[in-house]
Amino acid sequence: MTCLTTQSSRRTPATPCTAPSTARPTTSTRGFTLVELLVVIAIIGVLVGLLLPAVQSAREAARRMQCGNNLKQIGLGLHVYHDTFNKFPYGWDNRGMTWSGHILPQIEQANLYQTLIFQESGLGNWGTDDGPNEEACETVIPTYRCPSMALPLHMDYNGIPQRVPASYRGVAGTLATSDDTSTALPDTISLESLDQDGIFYACSKTKFRDILDGTSNTIMIGESYNNPKFVKDGQGMDYWYIGAPQTDPCRCDGGTGGTEFSEVAGVTITPVNAVIRAPLMSGRLMELSFGSYHLGGAHFLKCDGSVSFLTESLAEDVYDALGSRDGGEIPGEI
């Protein structure tokens, strides 16, 4: 190493030349104490506790919006069907075909509709193994499923191994108290009767001109709390689409052919979400009730194509007025 010095007029004592130090300054590091770590964990826990409900609420809001959009799509399909055939489809017919099957071409499911066989026997039967009608009932159609429904996509039910649960049913009206006339309440009718005051029932051919209460005052499709595993009084809370094996024997003459029409239609004689709110109600009435997996009510499609969320606290007379097409009522505030 060479040390450079400057000349000066005055001589100074020589200073030793030393090399620069290569040692690094020492720094002390300090970690979290146990108390500080516990505080941080507690803060994170509080933040997560505050954030999760907000995330869940946002997700449910999105699911509710999608559910309403499904009903709007169904409403559009029903209107197109009416424009084409000058009537709404049957609630169900004597082949067990339901309203949701009839409008498949109108909701962009024409290819699936073309596979159906319209006959009573052989491959046309809904219970024929590996038949096209059975396979149609095993096909997932997102338009017919609410995103909030807590059920698997497929269930083994009524002889259809991969049957797909549905979220929406037709409104048969306000009068029926059972699927079967033998179990209906006194002075009421069952879904076997052709004298319903709603839009969808056995071989119904309802037209816009029949909706005397006004299309904006009449509901035609409602959400349903589907839970096939819940059975009360021998009645399962199960709802399906396209075809129904148990409904198949229906003769559309007001007789006793067929059963379990509640799989595809409901009534407003029972309150919204009766499965949850009225546990003491008979199973025959309960399965006719509309409801949903949303908190506080359910979505309904009106005949004018609009969708409303009807709350569980809706007055009974207002709910009944919305359920009938020609009762002459003036629904109050929803």
Side-chain angles (χ1 to χ4, degrees), residues 35 56 217 223 319:
V35 173
Q56 293 172 346
N217 295 325
E223 259 193 288
Y319 190 39

Side-chain angles (χ1 to χ4, degrees), residues 149-166:
M149 184 168 64
L151 288 178
L153 290 179
H154 301 277
M155 302 184 73
D156 187 349
Y157 211 86
N158 291 144
I160 301 178
Q162 296 292 319
R163 200 173 187 186
V164 180

Side-chain angles (χ1 to χ4, degrees), residues 17-313:
C17 181
T18 59
S21 174
T22 59
R24 296 181 180 179
T26 59
T27 58
S28 61
T29 58
R30 178 176 176 271
F32 282 110
T33 66
L34 179 59
V35 173
E36 290 172 332
L37 181 60
L38 292 176
V39 169
V40 170
I41 292 175
I43 293 174
I44 293 175
V46 171
L47 292 176
V48 170
L50 293 174
L51 182 61
L52 281 180
V55 172
Q56 293 172 346
S57 178
R59 288 177 176 174
E60 173 56 17
R63 289 192 291 263
R64 282 183 57 165
M65 182 178 297
Q66 180 59 50
C67 181
N69 288 337
N70 287 346
L71 281 170
K72 289 181 180 179
Q73 182 67 27
I74 292 172
L76 180 60
L78 288 168
H79 277 228
V80 173
Y81 185 98
H82 190 286
D83 290 343
T84 304
F85 300 102
N86 197 31
K87 63 180 179 181
F88 289 116
Y90 303 139
W92 58 90
D93 61 19
N94 56 10
R95 295 185 303 270
M97 181 77 160
T98 73
W99 63 268
S100 56
H102 283 294
I103 66 169
L104 287 175
Q106 285 75 37
I107 61 167
E108 300 182 352
Q109 294 291 334
N111 290 341
L112 182 60
Y113 182 83
Q114 294 299 327
T115 68
L116 298 177
I117 296 179
F118 296 92
Q119 66 184 38
E120 282 290 277
S121 59
L123 294 178
N125 192 287
W126 300 102
T128 300
D129 292 341
D130 300 323
N133 288 14
E134 182 183 82
E135 291 179 0
C137 293
E138 296 176 333
T139 302
V140 176
I141 302 175
T143 305
Y144 289 153
R145 181 184 179 91
C146 170
S148 294
M149 184 168 64
L151 288 178
L153 290 179
H154 301 277
M155 302 184 73
D156 187 349
Y157 211 86
N158 291 144
I160 301 178
Q162 296 292 319
R163 200 173 187 186
V164 180
S167 294
Y168 312 108
R169 290 185 295 164
V171 178
T174 68
L175 306 174
T177 59
S178 176
D179 273 319
D180 194 294
T181 301
S182 65
T183 56
L185 294 177
D187 301 321
T188 68
I189 63 175
S190 74
L191 287 180
E192 289 180 330
S193 174
L194 303 183
D195 189 23
Q196 308 292 337
D197 62 349
I199 305 298
F200 296 107
Y201 48 93
C203 294
S204 57
K205 302 178 183 179
T206 312
K207 301 181 179 182
F208 274 124
R209 70 185 185 190
D210 300 322
I211 307 173
L212 303 182
D213 291 345
T215 57
S216 62
N217 295 325
T218 306
I219 53 178
M220 62 193 309
I221 303 292
E223 259 193 288
S224 298
Y225 187 90
N226 196 343
N227 186 5
K229 294 183 179 180
F230 175 67
V231 179
K232 185 177 183 184
D233 301 326
Q235 306 300 316
M237 311 300 141
D238 57 302
Y239 314 121
W240 314 94
Y241 57 62
I242 300 183
Q246 292 177 288
T247 302
D248 198 354
C250 171
R251 298 193 300 266
C252 291
D253 60 2
T256 58
T259 184
E260 297 301 328
F261 309 112
S262 58
E263 289 185 0
V264 299
V267 296
T268 60
I269 199 170
T270 55
V272 175
N273 279 335
V275 175
I276 302 172
R277 297 176 57 219
L280 300 181
M281 181 179 291
S282 74
R284 292 185 295 275
L285 275 170
M286 189 179 288
E287 67 178 347
L288 299 175
S289 169
F290 292 100
S292 78
Y293 280 88
H294 308 301
L295 183 64
H299 289 100
F300 288 82
L301 171 70
K302 293 182 179 179
C303 293
D304 64 357
S306 64
V307 175
S308 295
F309 188 81
L310 303 186
T311 66
E312 298 171 352
S313 59

Side-chain angles (χ1 to χ4, degrees), residues 11-15:
R11 296 180 64 87
T12 59
T15 58

